[in-house]
């Protein structure tokens, strides 16, 4: 009798498992669940969630929470002023120079709190030279801009107020209020039936939902469950901007009018002359390597070519030099269209690299280039959701950056390069923090099992001003940039600081010019070779 009961129980258990798998209620490899089944798993706060909250709270505490009654009470770039602290009669190459910026509102009243978002640079058009300045917020309405004078000649200054503090406060609070800037649609196909339904990170739970979860990384995404169609038949995804959505009041939106963005702050000085003094000693720079303590600014443009202040950058501007550097290497690139620019630049300059047709469609398809003679393989993939795609596309072969790193064995010939940022600007910051924490964890484990593997992170760059400034503005990008820089300090990775470069270059394009891309690739290859 006992054996009979055991057999019956075993049969019922197997039948239940088959039923669940068949109906896609449970499918372990792809982590697909009905939403109600998963609620039980997510009640207790995890260590990752605690870390996300800790980082978010730190960022949140650094951004003033400001309310204003009238535009005239907000920061006015034109009424503000910039002054050199302790000006000198003579400046030498290598000297530091500090400019103080005092902010005033549109009524001429002195500002008493910080939070204004500024970018600063020095430049010499005659020698095509430029460098970023480091902005220090004194939290009392004044700022110190720290410059390093990298080259000799006549040097000019530019200090732009990108957004007043009242706008950054509104943008910060709006970004973290919800997911309304983007609308996702999922396409399901099952036994000849097709359904298109609403998807997203945060859906109305009154509907029956399919959950697409990465339990290891604690990332969750949902679609409304189509009638009589299993969750596992989700085939394609599309995401579009919801341009009608705003989290800002009319007064706050006016702060984002083009006339109020990237406004030059007046200076009580014109330009300075920098000399190559007798005491200047040019130290021989060491080879670029991973794990250096990072400083800002990291370097400067001269004759439109980037020079690093802490290591020697090599120029890779022809097929032979790039081939020699990449010989024998397996290179993984994961990111967005700004990293695709790297792939395009390299493949355009090295005709011995041959494209392998993977039969994908749409621009973010996976790209693969190989050189069998030199044993070179370069692969570009887009990072996964969040990723804006205005047409339906397949995503079944996509991997998050941490997941991809976890599946790399690594060796002295392996290079992993990634970037992320631009597509995250439209979503609450917790998504970005979670992804970066998981990336750091994956890199630490990769370097434990393979210390000789090279890892390079490309920082996100500045972008253009367009109609979607509330969603895509550079303030969101700067917050993300700061988080990534701080979180990767001390980690044995190499950094290509595209933010520093594009501020210095005064680039106002999401996709920087080839002069910038060429220098970014120089920087990359200087780490590898």
């Amino acid at each position: 009798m006992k054996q009979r009961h055991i057999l019956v129980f075993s049969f019922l258990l197997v039948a239940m498992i088959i039923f669940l798998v068949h109906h896609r209620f449970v499918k372990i490899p792809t982590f697909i669940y009905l939403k109600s089944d998963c609620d039980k798993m997510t009640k207790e706060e995890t260590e990752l969630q605690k870390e996300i909250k800790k980082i978010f709270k730190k960022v949140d505490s650094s951004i003033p929470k400001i309310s204003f009654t009238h535009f005239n009470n907000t920061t006015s770039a034109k009424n503000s002023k910039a002054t050199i602290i302790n000006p000198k009669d003579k400046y030498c190459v290598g000297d530091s120079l500090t400019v103080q910026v005092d902010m005033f509102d549109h009524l001429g009243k002195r500002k008493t709190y910080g939070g204004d978002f500024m970018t600063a640079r020095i430049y010499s058009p005659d020698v095509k030279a430029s460098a970023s300045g480091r902005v220090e917020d004194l939290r009392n309405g004044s700022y110190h801009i720290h410059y390093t004078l990298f080259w000799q000649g006549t040097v000019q200054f530019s200090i732009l107020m990108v957004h007043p503090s009242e706008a950054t406060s509104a943008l910060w609070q709006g970004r973290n209020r919800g997911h309304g800037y983007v609308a996702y649609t999922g396409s399901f196909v099952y036994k000849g039936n097709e359904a298109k339904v609403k998807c997203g990170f945060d859906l109305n739970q009154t509907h029956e939902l399919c959950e697409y979860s990465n339990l290891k990384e604690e990332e969750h995404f949902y679609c409304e469950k189509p009638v009589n169609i299993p969750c596992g038949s989700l085939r394609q995804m599309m995401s579009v901007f919801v341009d009608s959505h705003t989290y800002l009041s009319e007064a706050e939106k006016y702060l984002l009018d083009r006339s109020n963005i990237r406004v030059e702050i007046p200076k009580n000085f014109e330009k300075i002359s920098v000399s190559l003094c007798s005491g200047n000693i040019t130290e021989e720079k060491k080879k670029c390597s991973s794990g250096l303590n990072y400083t800002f600014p990291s370097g400067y443009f001269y004759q439109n070519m980037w020079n690093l202040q802490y290591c020697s950058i090599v120029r890779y501007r022809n097929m032979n030099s790039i081939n020699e550097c990449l010989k024998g290497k397996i290179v993984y690139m994961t990111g967005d269209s700004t990293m695709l620019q790297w792939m395009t630049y390299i493949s355009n300059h090295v005709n011995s690299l041959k494209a392998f047709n993977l039969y994908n469609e749409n621009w973010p398809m996976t790209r693969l280039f190989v050189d069998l003679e030199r044993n070179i393989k370069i692969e570009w993939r887009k990072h996964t959701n969040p990723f804006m795609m205005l047409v339906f596309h397949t995503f079944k072969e996509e991997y998050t950056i941490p997941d991809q790193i976890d599946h790399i064995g690594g060796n002295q010939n392996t290079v992993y390069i990634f970037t992320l940022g631009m597509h995250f600007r439209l979503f609450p910051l917790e998504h970005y923090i979670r992804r970066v924490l998981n990336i750091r964890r994956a890199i630490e484990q990769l370097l434990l099992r393979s210390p000789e593997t090279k890892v390079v992170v490309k920082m996100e760059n500045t972008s253009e001003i367009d109609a979607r400034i509330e969603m895509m503005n550079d303030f969101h990008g700067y917050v993300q940039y700061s988080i990534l820089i701080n979180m990767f300090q001390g980690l044995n990775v190499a950094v290509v600081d595209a933010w520093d470069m594009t501020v210095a270059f005064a680039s106002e394009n999401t996709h920087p010019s080839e002069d910038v891309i060429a220098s970014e690739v120089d920087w990359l290859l200087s780490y590898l070779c």
Side-chain angles (χ1 to χ4, degrees):
M1 179 67 72
K2 187 176 180 180
Q3 289 180 335
R4 183 177 171 188
H5 285 165
I6 293 173
L7 287 171
V8 170
F9 177 79
S10 300
F11 175 81
L12 290 173
L13 181 61
V14 171
M16 184 179 293
I17 293 172
I18 293 171
F19 175 84
L20 289 171
V21 172
H22 176 73
H23 289 275
R24 302 304 194 266
F25 291 0
V26 176
K27 191 182 180 191
I28 299 303
T30 52
F31 303 105
I32 300 174
Y33 303 88
L34 281 181
K35 179 68 171 70
S36 57
D37 296 331
C38 248
D39 285 341
K40 300 171 186 176
M41 306 180 197
T42 57
K43 294 292 185 185
E44 191 173 333
E45 191 173 57
T46 66
E47 290 303 314
L48 179 59
Q49 289 168 337
K50 291 176 184 177
E51 189 68 18
I52 292 168
K53 284 185 177 181
K54 179 181 175 182
I55 295 171
F56 182 89
K57 186 176 180 179
K58 184 177 180 180
V59 176
D60 183 61
S61 66
S62 71
I63 300 172
K65 311 303 180 292
I66 303 166
S67 59
F68 64 98
T69 56
H70 195 278
F71 175 74
N72 286 340
N73 303 123
T74 66
T75 309
S76 165
K78 292 180 180 179
N79 285 347
S80 301
K81 58 184 180 181
T83 307
I84 295 177
I85 297 177
N86 299 324
K88 299 194 298 187
D89 293 330
K90 183 179 181 181
Y91 291 95
C92 299
V93 172
D95 281 355
S96 297
L97 181 150
T98 302
V99 172
Q100 178 162 316
V101 179
D102 298 311
M103 306 302 258
F104 294 79
D105 67 17
H106 290 270
L107 298 176
K109 183 180 178 181
R110 182 81 158 76
K111 296 296 289 290
T112 58
Y113 51 85
D116 302 290
F117 176 43
M118 294 186 288
T119 58
R121 60 190 289 264
I122 52 175
Y123 62 101
S124 299
D126 56 327
V127 291
K128 300 177 182 177
S130 57
S132 302
R134 180 174 62 85
V135 180
E136 179 187 4
D137 189 347
L138 303 181
R139 301 294 173 187
N140 60 3
S142 292
Y143 301 79
H144 283 172
I145 316 292
H146 303 279
Y147 296 100
T148 300
L149 305 176
F150 289 110
W151 63 89
Q152 69 181 105
T154 301
V155 175
Q156 301 180 53
F157 294 76
S158 173
I159 304 172
L160 298 179
M161 187 184 76
V162 183
H163 297 301
S165 53
E166 294 77 13
T168 61
S169 177
L171 287 165
W172 169 251
Q173 294 178 74
R175 172 184 185 174
N176 294 297
R177 203 169 289 160
H179 297 79
Y181 294 137
V182 179
Y184 285 94
T185 303
S187 174
F188 290 74
V189 177
Y190 180 66
K191 293 184 177 180
N193 297 316
E194 184 176 358
K196 290 181 172 62
V197 301
K198 184 177 181 180
C199 300
F201 291 100
D202 185 20
L203 294 186
N204 189 333
Q205 294 190 26
T206 58
H207 293 89
E208 187 179 21
L209 301 179
C210 296
E211 177 170 354
Y212 302 90
S213 296
N214 184 325
L215 299 183
K216 182 178 181 180
E217 297 174 26
E218 297 183 22
E219 297 209 7
H220 307 280
F221 190 80
Y222 310 97
C223 288
E224 294 178 356
K225 187 180 182 304
V227 178
N228 297 325
I229 294 180
C231 295
S233 60
L234 176 62
R235 184 179 179 185
Q236 292 184 316
M237 189 72 66
M238 177 175 70
S239 51
V240 297
F241 299 99
V242 183
D243 290 322
S244 60
H245 188 86
T246 181
Y247 289 111
L248 307 183
S249 67
E250 289 303 317
E252 290 168 340
K253 282 192 283 187
Y254 184 68
L255 295 176
L256 299 182
D257 184 81
R258 181 63 184 89
S259 62
N260 299 321
I261 301 173
R262 287 181 180 156
V263 182
E264 190 74 38
I265 293 175
K267 300 170 286 292
N268 68 354
F269 57 95
E270 287 294 321
K271 52 189 75 171
I272 63 169
S273 179
V274 180
S275 303
L276 188 62
C277 302
S278 57
N280 288 133
I281 300 174
T282 303
E283 296 182 3
E284 186 174 348
K285 296 177 182 177
K286 63 179 76 173
K287 180 186 181 302
C288 294
S289 61
S290 302
L292 292 171
N293 289 325
Y294 187 74
T295 57
F296 185 97
S298 58
Y300 61 97
F301 281 102
Y302 193 84
Q303 296 299 345
N304 276 352
M305 291 189 286
W306 188 251
N307 300 269
L308 291 165
Q309 66 165 317
Y310 54 84
C311 67
S312 178
I313 195 166
V314 180
R315 307 299 168 198
Y316 293 89
R317 301 297 174 97
N318 59 62
M319 184 173 78
N320 289 338
S321 62
I322 296 175
N323 263 335
E324 188 60 31
C325 179
L326 293 179
K327 187 176 181 180
K329 290 184 173 59
I330 299 172
V331 181
Y332 300 94
M333 293 184 179
T334 304
D336 54 28
S337 55
T338 63
M339 179 154 287
L340 183 57
Q341 285 184 278
W342 286 16
M343 169 71 95
T344 302
Y345 176 86
I346 292 172
S347 61
N348 285 346
H349 283 75
V350 182
N351 56 27
S352 57
L353 282 170
K354 304 302 180 185
F356 189 91
N357 191 347
L358 297 174
Y359 299 102
N360 291 324
E361 56 187 19
N362 302 318
W363 76 262
M365 63 183 182
T366 299
R367 319 292 174 97
L368 177 62
F369 285 84
V370 294
D371 181 340
L372 296 179
E373 180 182 342
R374 296 172 182 82
N375 203 43
I376 301 171
K377 172 189 170 184
I378 307 178
E379 176 188 276
W380 177 90
R381 288 178 179 269
K382 74 180 184 70
H383 68 68
T384 52
N385 202 20
F387 197 98
M388 293 302 297
M389 269 298 295
L390 306 181
V391 296
F392 279 107
H393 67 288
T394 183
F395 60 95
K396 288 300 183 182
E397 296 180 7
E398 294 178 5
Y399 308 94
T400 63
I401 292 172
D403 191 36
Q404 192 175 15
I405 295 173
D406 284 342
H407 287 85
I408 292 174
N411 54 44
Q412 71 273 16
N413 300 313
T414 300
V415 181
Y416 189 83
I417 311 164
F418 74 92
T419 189
L420 77 165
M422 203 72 69
H423 293 258
F424 282 78
R425 295 184 184 187
L426 299 100
F427 299 90
L429 186 65
E430 65 177 81
H431 292 284
Y432 183 82
I433 297 173
R434 179 182 294 105
R435 189 69 60 85
V436 172
L437 283 169
N438 279 315
I439 290 171
R440 181 183 173 97
R441 184 267 312 157
I443 291 173
E444 287 173 338
Q445 293 179 357
L446 170 63
L447 296 179
L448 281 176
R449 64 181 178 269
S450 177
E452 64 273 23
T453 298
K454 288 186 167 63
V455 180
V456 183
V457 51
K458 173 196 169 294
M459 296 296 167
E460 64 182 290
N461 50 257
T462 57
S463 58
E464 67 258 25
I465 298 170
D466 62 16
R468 297 190 176 107
I469 188 66
E470 179 183 339
M471 309 176 187
M472 299 292 292
N473 71 81
D474 279 347
F475 172 67
H476 295 327
Y478 179 71
V479 170
Q480 294 176 169
Y481 163 79
S482 301
I483 289 171
L484 192 55
I485 280 286
N486 288 325
M487 203 174 294
F488 278 49
Q489 283 282 8
L491 197 61
N492 193 30
V493 300
V495 172
V496 175
D497 194 342
W499 185 274
D500 186 6
M501 296 174 77
T502 49
V503 169
F505 200 78
S507 173
E508 295 187 2
N509 196 318
T510 301
H511 301 100
S513 69
E514 185 158 313
D515 283 329
V516 175
I517 299 301
S519 282
E520 289 176 353
V521 173
D522 285 344
W523 195 347
L524 164 70
L525 298 181
S526 295
Y527 280 128
L528 305 188
C529 305

